[in-house]
Amino acid sequence: MSSNIVAMRKIVQQLRLEAGINRVKVSQAAADLQQFCLQNAQQDPLLTGMSSSNNPFRPQKVCSFL
Amino acid sequence: MAAEKAEMDKLKKECDALRTQIEAARKAVNDGSMSASAGGVAGLGRIQLKLRKNLKGHLAKIYAMHWSADSRQMVSASQDGKLLIWDTFTGNKLVAVPLKSAWVMSVAFAPSGNLVASGGLDNICTVYNIKAASPKTLRELDAHTGYLSCCRFLSDTEILTASGDTTCCLWDLETGKQKTVFTNHIGDCMSLALSPDMNTFISGACDSLAKLWDLREGACKQTFSGHTSDINAIAFFQNGHAIITGSDDCSCKMYDLRSDQEVITYQDPSLNAGVTSVALSNSGRLIFAGYDDFNCHIWDSLKGEKIGVLSGHDNRVSCTGVPNDGMGVCTGSWDSFLKLWN
């Protein structure tokens, strides 16, 4: 059995698998993605920003009495 | 001979017919564009993030970084032959892991925080216990016949790897053996990402395709085309329904898994550099993409517009990552520095 045939059969089998799935309309998919982003916007610190006291990467400035 | 040729011709015909069928099925559900339907969404304006920390320590190009699940520690890998584990709140280096092979291309933090893994041109994925008094090699996963381009832990007992040998592999860390080999790409696998529900993962390869795999079945479920060059970076959208890819063709794309097709391309005529890495902000609205042009550009994922840039590196941005708490973004570069922005 030629290895080319074996390989080709595998390709066809994979394509059959991929051809068989159900597909959702792009308009529906887009609406769902938008809804997800908008619903989670308030929990996204890079969108909402943060105060320096809440900012974990901001170096803490410490006042000390000498 | 003749029988074989006849079967070959039959198979080729079926192949073409199936490809046409798939394209037709995709077209049939393509009833609107993502960016058009985002017309009603308010724009974000310009996003300006500030540089908060510049992490110095590596002595050569940084190739990879990965956040710990605690959103505080982070591991970076450099071709100076070291992994460094950082406390990003203080900027301190917590642990240095010397590598057997300096040609590292990928690094990963286990969700538990107990283990890190790395690999590269040695074709091996080495797993280290970093909670021991000094970093101890736990396992050397040696079965790939090509370089290790990416690795990600599912837990302390399972890890996924992507390789230049065109396969991805799920390993059992208790035995050190391969559990499942994922074969279907025809080019070097460059990147992988786990789905939020951990049932599937996606891979991007030099065959310019992205593939969705079922972790337990070991099968390729969907294939996404559209890029015209190597896919270097891939990430899941947080709801698990879409993926973002970054490619040497200078564009990023979003593919929706349920529509089985590309829904937006993020590209700009002024951007003529390949994309090395991608990361998403917590709502999925912002895409941070690292480029060969030394910058990390910020895209509005819904509208497809470039809305910001993180500038400061003196060489290619090779890796980008947002921690689980979404409080910032880290960029790593061939200039040997890691920068934290928010």
Side-chain angles (χ1 to χ4, degrees):
Chain A
M1 177 75 59
S2 151
S3 63
N4 284 344
I5 298 244
V6 172
M8 202 60 186
R9 279 185 188 165
K10 281 198 182 131
I11 293 176
V12 169
Q13 189 182 24
Q14 180 63 34
L15 283 171
R16 277 188 199 147
L17 228 158
E18 294 183 17
I21 65 166
N22 284 328
R23 293 171 179 84
V24 163
K25 286 203 188 305
V26 170
S27 56
Q28 178 64 56
D32 291 349
L33 287 168
Q34 268 175 43
Q35 188 180 45
F36 184 86
C37 286
L38 297 175
Q39 273 177 351
N40 288 288
Q42 285 311 304
Q43 280 78 49
D44 187 338
L46 290 169
L47 279 182
T48 59
M50 64 199 83
S51 64
S52 40
S53 53
N54 287 341
N55 190 339
F57 305 127
R58 198 157 184 153
Q60 296 300 338
K61 289 186 171 32
V62 179
C63 290
S64 56
F65 289 98
L66 298 169
Chain B
M1 267 297 119
E4 271 205 15
K5 185 175 184 314
E7 172 157 17
M8 200 59 174
D9 287 344
K10 187 162 160 280
L11 287 169
K12 279 190 180 146
K13 271 205 174 107
E14 188 172 0
C15 196
D16 291 339
L18 284 166
R19 291 213 159 99
T20 307
Q21 187 189 328
I22 290 173
E23 279 323 299
R26 284 175 173 158
K27 216 167 167 196
V29 296
N30 192 1
D31 62 339
S33 95
M34 173 85 168
S35 44
S37 63
V41 175
L44 294 174
R46 193 102 192 121
I47 298 278
Q48 274 161 337
L49 301 183
K50 293 206 171 86
L51 174 65
R52 300 299 180 186
K53 285 210 162 47
N54 190 33
L55 302 176
K56 301 182 206 206
H58 282 299
L59 304 171
K61 294 175 174 166
I62 291 171
Y63 273 78
M65 58 81 43
H66 194 215
W67 283 97
S68 168
D70 70 5
S71 300
R72 176 165 181 162
Q73 287 186 23
M74 177 264 288
V75 62
S76 58
S78 162
Q79 293 202 348
D80 64 5
K82 293 232 171 7
L83 301 182
L84 287 177
I85 296 169
W86 306 82
D87 174 343
T88 59
F89 289 10
T90 59
N92 291 338
K93 301 176 218 2
L94 299 173
V95 184
V97 183
L99 301 174
K100 254 189 187 171
S101 163
W103 308 114
V104 64
M105 293 174 68
S106 177
V107 74
F109 228 125
S112 66
N114 297 328
L115 310 175
V116 294
S118 69
L121 294 181
D122 58 352
N123 300 0
I124 300 173
C125 179
T126 308
V127 179
Y128 305 89
N129 175 352
I130 51 156
K131 294 298 192 195
S134 70
K136 192 164 136 49
T137 300
L138 194 71
R139 284 263 173 246
E140 282 178 338
L141 307 172
D142 187 359
H144 279 301
T145 54
Y147 58 82
L148 201 90
S149 53
C150 194
C151 51
R152 284 293 178 259
F153 284 92
L154 277 77
S155 65
D156 279 5
T157 56
E158 282 183 311
I159 192 169
L160 254 180
T161 56
S163 169
D165 67 11
T166 78
T167 71
C168 294
C169 185
L170 178 65
W171 304 79
D172 180 334
L173 287 175
E174 286 170 330
T175 60
K177 299 260 185 294
Q178 293 177 302
K179 259 186 170 164
T180 318
V181 183
F182 301 88
T183 334
N184 206 262
H185 277 296
I186 54 174
D188 303 12
C189 290
M190 297 303 291
S191 183
L192 65 86
L194 265 169
S195 65
D197 69 7
M198 308 258 276
N199 290 328
T200 60
F201 74 95
I202 44 176
S203 60
C206 291
D207 56 12
S208 72
L209 302 172
K211 286 180 183 281
L212 175 76
W213 308 84
D214 185 302
L215 258 171
R216 303 307 162 188
E217 278 177 38
C220 169
K221 294 301 210 179
Q222 285 172 258
T223 300
F224 302 95
S225 58
H227 278 297
T228 52
S229 187
D230 306 354
I231 293 178
N232 296 318
I234 200 161
F236 256 102
F237 203 80
Q238 281 86 345
N239 69 357
H241 293 161
I243 66 176
I244 309 287
T245 53
S247 165
D248 271 349
D249 69 11
C250 311
S251 77
C252 295
K253 287 178 189 289
M254 181 194 286
Y255 294 91
D256 188 279
L257 301 182
R258 297 174 312 158
S259 309
D260 187 44
Q261 58 192 280
E262 176 185 326
V263 292
I264 296 201
T265 297
Y266 307 94
Q267 68 192 6
D268 189 295
S270 66
L271 269 179
N272 285 321
V275 182
T276 61
S277 47
V278 292
L280 288 159
S281 72
N282 268 12
S283 64
R285 186 69 190 269
L286 301 177
I287 298 172
F288 296 95
Y291 287 74
D292 288 343
D293 72 352
F294 306 1
N295 295 316
C296 178
H297 293 277
I298 309 174
W299 296 88
D300 178 331
S301 67
L302 297 180
K303 287 178 171 289
E305 297 163 349
K306 195 155 82 70
I307 54 173
V309 63
L310 304 176
S311 286
H313 283 293
D314 294 321
N315 206 324
R316 172 186 292 197
V317 173
S318 54
C319 48
T320 311
V322 172
N324 285 349
D325 67 2
M327 292 297 270
V329 53
C330 179
T331 52
S333 165
W334 279 11
D335 69 5
S336 81
F337 300 115
L338 296 140
K339 292 179 190 287
L340 296 170
W341 316 76
N342 64 17

